[in-house]
């Protein structure tokens, strides 16, 4: 029997979402400060309106939805995560839309969801002339979204209760680095901020060496780091990394987004001097193997079409974009249409495969994730071993991911459910593109890019793309970033509200 959610259930969810939106308002203070420093008064007004809207919503939820004496259940945590991201998209899009760089509020929402989910696809027009405040907001979206907007709320706005842990897990994260989930959220931020200082320093020095003025170089170095570390792929110029024409900048950003794609638990293990985890971790091994395979596919494709034949060209135009896709970053050193017009069928589908697989679980990356690829492969290998082993033999497989994980039937079923869900959103997005008349390679390239939160585009994703594709890509980015479980819970809430039967309050 399906129970209809009670009024208290809905109030708890509303209260949690209110806290998330307050977090969005707090983040807006940073681009507001940048706009003030740069005397961009129209932008200042845009962010003041956005902050006021976020605070007003939080006050409304805080005063109407507070339920004392009850903690959040798994159901509440899942719904707060999934619905919170959608509501945060709407409120975060306010400064975007007021900037005048978007023809519709839907386009502004598209870019917000792309930023939050560290995807990197964008519909913003005239990027080369946006204000510094808006550019800071774009990149801060990917940086904060890489950690998770729920993590932001947990860092400052939630107590360290079991309910807080349930919201944390519902955002697609699994590892609790420290006994208290709020301390875990703060540890994630400490890791990211430390890398921000180091990475931005290297980028700043490189930009100064290339002749960029100090003030502009400082902003670009911070923005480039945020886009790379979060595997979000946003850049302050329309040509992305191609704008800089710098081998050094490309090398530094490649190192940053590879490191950024690693699991936060692996980062924490390295920081606490357990460096052997790097070599034992199933995701590092999986990433290495799939990188070798897709690089081989890329080389075959380039050889067949006689493009990027020198080692320098292969690295800067081919391998860089492949790894950018595999880590679901989206930084690019070529024009978007070059994927379709120059790479050729084989190389293009090699990068599509890399994007679909993606990076690590509990990281800033998207896609299937290396952990699931490892579980799937080990499970398949275990089944083969069972077939050739005596009937009395006990065959068990395990993977190492911070700790040894034995592969059992529930784990395999959960893994397959997520893998099938990813394939479904990839396929529907690609099919819609084909229906609208795009070439299959282009349609599936951009659909996989959206669903895996990558951000590379073969030229389909523009402000002029069909409205239905914009909506579906938003859904892909949202569901892919949350890894489906909390999305299923939100749909379950909607169904239970309509067809469920009245009953007592949900079990804690």
């Amino acid at each position: 029997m399906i129970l209809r959610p009670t009024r208290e259930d809905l109030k708890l969810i509303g209260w949690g979402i209110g806290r998330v939106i307050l977090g969005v308002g707090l983040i807006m203070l940073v681009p507001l400060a940048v706009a003030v420093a740069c005397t961009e008064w129209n932008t200042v007004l845009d962010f003041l309106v956005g902050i006021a809207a976020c605070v007003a919503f939080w006050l409304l939820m805080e005063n109407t939805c507070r339920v004392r004496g009850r903690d959040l259940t798994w159901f509440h945590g899942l719904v707060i995560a999934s619905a919170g991201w959608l509501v945060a998209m709407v409120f975060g899009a306010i400064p975007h839309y007021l900037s005048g760089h978007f023809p519709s509020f839907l386009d502004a929402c598209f870019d917000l969801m792309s930023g939050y989910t560290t995807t990197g696809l964008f519909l913003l027009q005239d990027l080369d002339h946006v204000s510094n405040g808006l550019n800071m907001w774009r990149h801060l979206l990917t940086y904060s979204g890489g950690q998770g907007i729920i993590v932001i709320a947990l860092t400052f706005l939630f107590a360290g209760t079991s309910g807080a842990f349930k919201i944390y897990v519902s955002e697609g994260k699994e590892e609790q680095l420290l006994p208290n989930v709020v301390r875990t959220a703060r540890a994630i931020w400490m890791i990211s901020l430390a890398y921000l200082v180091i990475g931005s320093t290297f980028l700043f020095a490189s930009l100064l060496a290339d002749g960029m003025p100090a003030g502009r170089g400082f902003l670009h170095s911070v923005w480039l780091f945020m886009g790379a570390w979060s595997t979000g792929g946003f850049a302050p110029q329309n040509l992305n990394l191609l704008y800089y024409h710098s081998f050094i900048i490309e090398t530094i950003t490649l190192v940053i987004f590879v490191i950024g794609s690693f699991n936060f638990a692996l980062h924490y293990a390295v920081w606490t001097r357990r460096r052997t985890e790097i070599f034992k971790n199933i995701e590092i091994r999986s990433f290495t193997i799939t990188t070798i395979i897709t690089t081989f596919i890329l080389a075959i494709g380039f050889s067949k079409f006689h493009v990027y034949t020198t080692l320098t060209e292969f690295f800067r135009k081919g391998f860089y974009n492949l790894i950018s896709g595999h880590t679901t970053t989206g930084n690019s050193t070529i024009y978007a249409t070059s994927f379709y017009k120059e790479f050729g069928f084989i190389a293009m589908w090699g990068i599509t495969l890399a994007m679909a697989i993606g990076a690590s679980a509990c990281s800033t990356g998207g896609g299937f994730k290396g952990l699931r690829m490892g579980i799937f492969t080990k499970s398949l290998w275990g089944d083969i071993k069972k077939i050739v082993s005596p009937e009395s033999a006990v065959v068990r497989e395990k993977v190492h991911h911070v700790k040894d994980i034995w592969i059992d039937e529930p784990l395999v079923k959960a893994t397959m459910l997520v893998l099938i869900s990813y394939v479904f959103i990839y396929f529907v997005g690609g099919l819609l593109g084909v229906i609208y008349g795009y070439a299959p390679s282009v349609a599936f390239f951009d659909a996989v890019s959206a669903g895996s939160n990558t951000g590379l585009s073969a030229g389909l994703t523009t402000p002029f793309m069909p409205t239905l594709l914009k909506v579906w890509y938003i859904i892909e980015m949202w569901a892919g970033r949350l890894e489906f479980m909390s999305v299923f819970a939100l749909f379950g809430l909607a169904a239970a509200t309509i067809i469920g039967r009245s009953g007592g309050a949900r079990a804690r």
Side-chain angles (χ1 to χ4, degrees), residues 183-505:
R183 290 175 60 195
T184 295
R186 290 171 181 167
I188 289 174
W189 271 105
M190 288 302 297
I191 291 170
S192 295
L193 289 171
Y195 279 115
L196 172 62
V197 173
I198 298 169
S200 297
T201 300
F202 278 101
L203 289 167
F204 181 52
S206 301
L207 290 170
L208 287 181
D210 287 341
M212 186 173 284
R216 190 162 181 253
F218 173 75
L219 288 174
H220 275 238
S221 65
V222 172
W223 293 338
L224 286 174
F225 174 85
M226 287 180 173
W229 167 258
S230 65
T231 66
F234 277 160
Q237 303 292 152
N238 191 56
L239 292 178
N240 207 278
L241 266 291
L242 184 61
Y243 171 82
Y244 301 94
H245 293 287
S246 171
F247 177 78
I248 296 176
I249 296 296
E250 291 163 16
T251 302
I252 293 173
T253 53
L254 186 146
V255 172
I256 291 170
F257 60 63
V258 168
I259 295 174
S261 72
F262 293 162
N263 190 296
F264 280 114
L266 181 60
H267 282 290
Y268 189 74
V270 173
W271 277 47
T272 52
R273 300 185 179 182
R274 289 178 288 144
R275 296 183 177 89
T276 56
E277 289 293 329
I278 296 175
F279 307 102
K280 296 190 294 182
N281 191 277
I282 184 63
E283 293 191 306
I284 301 299
R285 294 182 177 184
S286 173
F287 181 81
T288 301
I289 293 170
T290 51
T291 295
I292 292 171
I293 293 172
T294 51
T295 301
F296 183 66
I297 295 172
L298 189 73
I300 292 174
F302 285 170
S303 176
K304 182 176 178 61
F305 285 89
H306 306 290
V307 294
Y308 307 135
T309 53
T310 69
L311 185 61
T312 300
E313 285 182 326
F314 183 83
F315 175 81
R316 298 186 66 180
K317 306 297 184 182
F319 185 76
Y320 183 94
N321 289 284
L322 173 70
I323 300 303
S324 180
H326 201 343
T327 57
T328 71
T329 301
N331 280 140
S332 180
T333 57
I334 60 174
Y335 295 103
T337 54
S338 296
F339 284 114
Y340 180 59
K341 294 181 178 180
E342 296 179 10
F343 271 45
F345 178 85
I346 297 174
M348 194 170 174
W349 278 95
I351 294 181
T352 304
L353 175 62
M355 291 192 297
I357 295 171
S360 301
C362 193
S363 71
T364 62
F368 293 157
K369 307 290 193 305
L371 177 59
R372 294 193 185 95
M373 294 302 298
I375 291 172
F376 173 76
T377 304
K378 280 281 193 175
S379 173
L380 183 62
W381 176 243
D383 288 340
I384 294 173
K385 287 169 66 176
K386 286 179 183 178
I387 293 173
V388 300
S389 298
E391 291 186 8
S392 58
V394 177
V395 178
R396 296 187 69 193
E397 295 291 330
K398 65 179 179 180
V399 296
H400 184 83
H401 178 60
V402 183
K403 61 182 179 181
D404 287 339
I405 301 173
W406 290 100
I407 297 175
D408 54 19
E409 187 174 351
L411 179 61
V412 174
K413 284 184 177 180
T415 299
M416 290 307 300
L417 174 61
V418 175
L419 292 180
I420 291 170
S421 298
Y422 273 112
V423 171
F424 173 77
I425 62 172
Y426 295 160
F427 177 77
V428 173
L431 184 61
L432 282 174
V434 171
I435 291 172
Y436 276 112
Y438 295 95
S441 294
V442 173
F444 280 94
F445 188 95
D446 276 39
V448 171
S449 181
S452 63
N453 307 133
T454 300
L456 294 176
S457 174
L460 186 158
T461 305
T462 70
F464 311 106
M465 66 192 290
T467 299
L468 181 58
L469 270 180
K470 292 178 183 178
V471 173
W472 181 254
Y473 280 12
I474 289 174
I475 294 172
E476 279 197 64
M477 292 185 285
W478 170 62
R481 178 65 175 84
L482 293 175
E483 301 186 358
F484 302 101
M485 292 301 106
S486 57
V487 175
F488 294 154
L490 183 61
F491 290 151
L493 172 68
T497 302
I498 297 170
I499 65 174
R501 296 184 179 181
S502 298

